Amino acid sequence: MDISFFSGAVTLICCFFAVAAACLTHRSKSVRTKGGEDSCNCACSHGSCGGGRFDKTSVLNGGSSGSSVFGGFEEEMVEKVSVTVAAEKLTGASMMEQLVPEITTHALSYLDYPSLCRLSMTNSLMRKAANDDNAWKALYHKDFTLEQDSLSPINGWKAYYAATRAIMNVNADFFNIIRERSVPAMERFWLNADYVKCFHASGEYFTGHNAVIGSWQLAFNWEQNVDFEIRDVKARVMTDSAWVTMKAYLNMGSGTVTNVFELHNGRWYMVHHHCSVMLIHGGAGQQAVQG
């Protein structure tokens, strides 16, 4: 026999066994994770699935490992995984992004205003979810009022929520000024214009900035401390104006209050205040006010 032919055959056989050994080593490593081996988690507890191990890599790559045991199940699994992977590659969407919008909105509705803001600062995916208009609409109805459901804010519900929250805080500042009896603070609170109006609970009304501030100065100097509580606050915010309605409960009666504000140079100023109080005399009405 020719020595060159013999040498070539030996070399070919050695190459074959080397390739086979490499393939077996690669398959052995593919079924292991950093924490150990993956079990098949099926009914073959005695190792009928090839020593209790399941070749994930082979399945994901469309291989035939364990096909004699799994049969059609493996093919179905491979098809589903392949479709899911292909869909994510085509759309670039994660599992959360593929959720039905109603489910995402419902999940975010459990968050309050600070939590939703913090969520939007985590990453781009959370920012997109937290800025969803439906989520802010749901939060608006939860925090403020169920009214204005058919409203379509020009800048979206997130901006409308922020504007409403701002005007509610400004409205609360007004009553804090009354409690503190601060004339300088009240003077800064009102817009310095000749068309501002103030209707006090006594029935007197005043027009113009100077007259309005003068009426508050008299009220702070002469009236005794009045204990009051504000409830059922509702706000409607426009581009550069807003009005707030509420109910006032005092130790002498109850009534309704309407405050109107205008936005000037990024700041809200009061331009109209109307308070109407219905006096009561003991009985059930007195309990309602104090309660």
Side-chain angles (χ1 to χ4, degrees), residues 188-202:
R188 293 189 299 268
F189 193 80
W190 282 79
L191 179 67
N192 191 352
D194 58 357
Y195 59 84
V196 298
K197 289 180 173 57
C198 180
F199 292 78
H200 287 284
S202 60

PDB file of all heavy atoms in Angstrom, residues 188-202:
ATOM      1  N   ARG A 188     -49.505  91.130  47.396  1.00  0.00           N
ATOM      2  CA  ARG A 188     -48.732  90.478  46.333  1.00  0.00           C
ATOM      3  C   ARG A 188     -49.537  89.399  45.627  1.00  0.00           C
ATOM      4  O   ARG A 188     -49.257  89.049  44.474  1.00  0.00           O
ATOM      5  CB  ARG A 188     -47.453  89.858  46.916  1.00  0.00           C
ATOM      6  CG  ARG A 188     -46.447  90.876  47.441  1.00  0.00           C
ATOM      7  CD  ARG A 188     -45.131  90.187  47.797  1.00  0.00           C
ATOM      8  NE  ARG A 188     -45.307  89.190  48.847  1.00  0.00           N
ATOM      9  CZ  ARG A 188     -45.171  89.448  50.154  1.00  0.00           C
ATOM     10  NH1 ARG A 188     -44.878  90.683  50.566  1.00  0.00           N
ATOM     11  NH2 ARG A 188     -45.334  88.484  51.045  1.00  0.00           N
ATOM     12  N   PHE A 189     -50.519  88.866  46.301  1.00  0.00           N
ATOM     13  CA  PHE A 189     -51.294  87.752  45.760  1.00  0.00           C
ATOM     14  C   PHE A 189     -52.241  88.205  44.658  1.00  0.00           C
ATOM     15  O   PHE A 189     -52.505  87.461  43.710  1.00  0.00           O
ATOM     16  CB  PHE A 189     -52.082  87.081  46.894  1.00  0.00           C
ATOM     17  CG  PHE A 189     -52.662  85.751  46.528  1.00  0.00           C
ATOM     18  CD1 PHE A 189     -51.884  84.603  46.533  1.00  0.00           C
ATOM     19  CD2 PHE A 189     -54.006  85.645  46.175  1.00  0.00           C
ATOM     20  CE1 PHE A 189     -52.429  83.374  46.194  1.00  0.00           C
ATOM     21  CE2 PHE A 189     -54.549  84.423  45.838  1.00  0.00           C
ATOM     22  CZ  PHE A 189     -53.757  83.280  45.838  1.00  0.00           C
ATOM     23  N   TRP A 190     -52.760  89.419  44.783  1.00  0.00           N
ATOM     24  CA  TRP A 190     -53.720  89.945  43.804  1.00  0.00           C
ATOM     25  C   TRP A 190     -52.979  90.610  42.645  1.00  0.00           C
ATOM     26  O   TRP A 190     -51.919  91.211  42.813  1.00  0.00           O
ATOM     27  CB  TRP A 190     -54.643  90.955  44.461  1.00  0.00           C
ATOM     28  CG  TRP A 190     -55.740  90.325  45.283  1.00  0.00           C
ATOM     29  CD1 TRP A 190     -55.619  89.819  46.543  1.00  0.00           C
ATOM     30  CD2 TRP A 190     -57.100  90.149  44.890  1.00  0.00           C
ATOM     31  NE1 TRP A 190     -56.821  89.344  46.973  1.00  0.00           N
ATOM     32  CE2 TRP A 190     -57.758  89.527  45.972  1.00  0.00           C
ATOM     33  CE3 TRP A 190     -57.835  90.466  43.756  1.00  0.00           C
ATOM     34  CZ2 TRP A 190     -59.109  89.203  45.950  1.00  0.00           C
ATOM     35  CZ3 TRP A 190     -59.193  90.142  43.718  1.00  0.00           C
ATOM     36  CH2 TRP A 190     -59.814  89.515  44.801  1.00  0.00           C
ATOM     37  N   LEU A 191     -53.584  90.534  41.466  1.00  0.00           N
ATOM     38  CA  LEU A 191     -53.046  91.227  40.303  1.00  0.00           C
ATOM     39  C   LEU A 191     -53.285  92.725  40.468  1.00  0.00           C
ATOM     40  O   LEU A 191     -54.382  93.160  40.832  1.00  0.00           O
ATOM     41  CB  LEU A 191     -53.736  90.738  39.026  1.00  0.00           C
ATOM     42  CG  LEU A 191     -53.283  91.389  37.723  1.00  0.00           C
ATOM     43  CD1 LEU A 191     -51.833  91.013  37.403  1.00  0.00           C
ATOM     44  CD2 LEU A 191     -54.209  90.988  36.568  1.00  0.00           C
ATOM     45  N   ASN A 192     -52.266  93.509  40.218  1.00  0.00           N
ATOM     46  CA  ASN A 192     -52.384  94.963  40.349  1.00  0.00           C
ATOM     47  C   ASN A 192     -53.045  95.517  39.081  1.00  0.00           C
ATOM     48  O   ASN A 192     -52.385  95.938  38.136  1.00  0.00           O
ATOM     49  CB  ASN A 192     -51.011  95.588  40.555  1.00  0.00           C
ATOM     50  CG  ASN A 192     -51.092  97.047  40.970  1.00  0.00           C
ATOM     51  OD1 ASN A 192     -52.172  97.651  40.960  1.00  0.00           O
ATOM     52  ND2 ASN A 192     -49.962  97.636  41.338  1.00  0.00           N
ATOM     53  N   ALA A 193     -54.361  95.469  39.077  1.00  0.00           N
ATOM     54  CA  ALA A 193     -55.144  95.933  37.928  1.00  0.00           C
ATOM     55  C   ALA A 193     -56.435  96.570  38.420  1.00  0.00           C
ATOM     56  O   ALA A 193     -56.894  96.297  39.537  1.00  0.00           O
ATOM     57  CB  ALA A 193     -55.445  94.779  36.979  1.00  0.00           C
ATOM     58  N   ASP A 194     -57.028  97.402  37.559  1.00  0.00           N
ATOM     59  CA  ASP A 194     -58.230  98.115  37.981  1.00  0.00           C
ATOM     60  C   ASP A 194     -59.506  97.301  37.817  1.00  0.00           C
ATOM     61  O   ASP A 194     -60.582  97.732  38.242  1.00  0.00           O
ATOM     62  CB  ASP A 194     -58.358  99.431  37.203  1.00  0.00           C
ATOM     63  CG  ASP A 194     -58.416  99.211  35.699  1.00  0.00           C
ATOM     64  OD1 ASP A 194     -58.294  98.037  35.268  1.00  0.00           O
ATOM     65  OD2 ASP A 194     -58.571 100.196  34.954  1.00  0.00           O
ATOM     66  N   TYR A 195     -59.400  96.127  37.206  1.00  0.00           N
ATOM     67  CA  TYR A 195     -60.612  95.332  36.970  1.00  0.00           C
ATOM     68  C   TYR A 195     -60.773  94.181  37.964  1.00  0.00           C
ATOM     69  O   TYR A 195     -61.742  93.407  37.853  1.00  0.00           O
ATOM     70  CB  TYR A 195     -60.616  94.789  35.542  1.00  0.00           C
ATOM     71  CG  TYR A 195     -59.440  93.918  35.172  1.00  0.00           C
ATOM     72  CD1 TYR A 195     -59.435  92.548  35.471  1.00  0.00           C
ATOM     73  CD2 TYR A 195     -58.338  94.443  34.518  1.00  0.00           C
ATOM     74  CE1 TYR A 195     -58.365  91.754  35.126  1.00  0.00           C
ATOM     75  CE2 TYR A 195     -57.261  93.653  34.167  1.00  0.00           C
ATOM     76  CZ  TYR A 195     -57.279  92.310  34.477  1.00  0.00           C
ATOM     77  OH  TYR A 195     -56.207  91.514  34.120  1.00  0.00           O
ATOM     78  N   VAL A 196     -59.858  94.017  38.912  1.00  0.00           N
ATOM     79  CA  VAL A 196     -60.012  92.940  39.888  1.00  0.00           C
ATOM     80  C   VAL A 196     -61.171  93.260  40.818  1.00  0.00           C
ATOM     81  O   VAL A 196     -61.440  94.423  41.128  1.00  0.00           O
ATOM     82  CB  VAL A 196     -58.714  92.736  40.692  1.00  0.00           C
ATOM     83  CG1 VAL A 196     -57.570  92.340  39.770  1.00  0.00           C
ATOM     84  CG2 VAL A 196     -58.352  93.977  41.490  1.00  0.00           C
ATOM     85  N   LYS A 197     -61.870  92.228  41.266  1.00  0.00           N
ATOM     86  CA  LYS A 197     -63.057  92.407  42.106  1.00  0.00           C
ATOM     87  C   LYS A 197     -63.051  91.415  43.249  1.00  0.00           C
ATOM     88  O   LYS A 197     -62.571  90.284  43.115  1.00  0.00           O
ATOM     89  CB  LYS A 197     -64.341  92.237  41.288  1.00  0.00           C
ATOM     90  CG  LYS A 197     -64.611  93.371  40.315  1.00  0.00           C
ATOM     91  CD  LYS A 197     -65.895  93.145  39.549  1.00  0.00           C
ATOM     92  CE  LYS A 197     -66.243  94.362  38.706  1.00  0.00           C
ATOM     93  NZ  LYS A 197     -65.180  94.753  37.764  1.00  0.00           N
ATOM     94  N   CYS A 198     -63.613  91.863  44.372  1.00  0.00           N
ATOM     95  CA  CYS A 198     -63.694  91.025  45.564  1.00  0.00           C
ATOM     96  C   CYS A 198     -65.065  91.178  46.202  1.00  0.00           C
ATOM     97  O   CYS A 198     -65.469  92.300  46.557  1.00  0.00           O
ATOM     98  CB  CYS A 198     -62.600  91.401  46.565  1.00  0.00           C
ATOM     99  SG  CYS A 198     -62.599  90.428  48.074  1.00  0.00           S
ATOM    100  N   PHE A 199     -65.785  90.075  46.333  1.00  0.00           N
ATOM    101  CA  PHE A 199     -67.097  90.049  46.981  1.00  0.00           C
ATOM    102  C   PHE A 199     -66.947  89.325  48.312  1.00  0.00           C
ATOM    103  O   PHE A 199     -66.733  88.101  48.345  1.00  0.00           O
ATOM    104  CB  PHE A 199     -68.122  89.334  46.108  1.00  0.00           C
ATOM    105  CG  PHE A 199     -68.467  90.066  44.842  1.00  0.00           C
ATOM    106  CD1 PHE A 199     -67.622  90.053  43.746  1.00  0.00           C
ATOM    107  CD2 PHE A 199     -69.659  90.789  44.745  1.00  0.00           C
ATOM    108  CE1 PHE A 199     -67.934  90.721  42.580  1.00  0.00           C
ATOM    109  CE2 PHE A 199     -69.991  91.457  43.578  1.00  0.00           C
ATOM    110  CZ  PHE A 199     -69.120  91.437  42.487  1.00  0.00           C
ATOM    111  N   HIS A 200     -67.045  90.051  49.403  1.00  0.00           N
ATOM    112  CA  HIS A 200     -66.888  89.447  50.723  1.00  0.00           C
ATOM    113  C   HIS A 200     -68.184  88.773  51.163  1.00  0.00           C
ATOM    114  O   HIS A 200     -69.251  88.997  50.586  1.00  0.00           O
ATOM    115  CB  HIS A 200     -66.492  90.519  51.743  1.00  0.00           C
ATOM    116  CG  HIS A 200     -65.073  90.984  51.575  1.00  0.00           C
ATOM    117  ND1 HIS A 200     -63.986  90.241  51.993  1.00  0.00           N
ATOM    118  CD2 HIS A 200     -64.560  92.128  51.036  1.00  0.00           C
ATOM    119  CE1 HIS A 200     -62.870  90.893  51.724  1.00  0.00           C
ATOM    120  NE2 HIS A 200     -63.192  92.049  51.129  1.00  0.00           N
ATOM    121  N   ALA A 201     -68.062  87.953  52.202  1.00  0.00           N
ATOM    122  CA  ALA A 201     -69.234  87.237  52.705  1.00  0.00           C
ATOM    123  C   ALA A 201     -70.286  88.187  53.259  1.00  0.00           C
ATOM    124  O   ALA A 201     -71.464  87.839  53.328  1.00  0.00           O
ATOM    125  CB  ALA A 201     -68.793  86.243  53.785  1.00  0.00           C
ATOM    126  N   SER A 202     -69.873  89.389  53.642  1.00  0.00           N
ATOM    127  CA  SER A 202     -70.819  90.373  54.183  1.00  0.00           C
ATOM    128  C   SER A 202     -71.739  90.945  53.104  1.00  0.00           C
ATOM    129  O   SER A 202     -72.723  91.605  53.418  1.00  0.00           O
ATOM    130  CB  SER A 202     -70.042  91.519  54.841  1.00  0.00           C
ATOM    131  OG  SER A 202     -69.207  92.169  53.888  1.00  0.00           O
TER     132      SER A 202
END
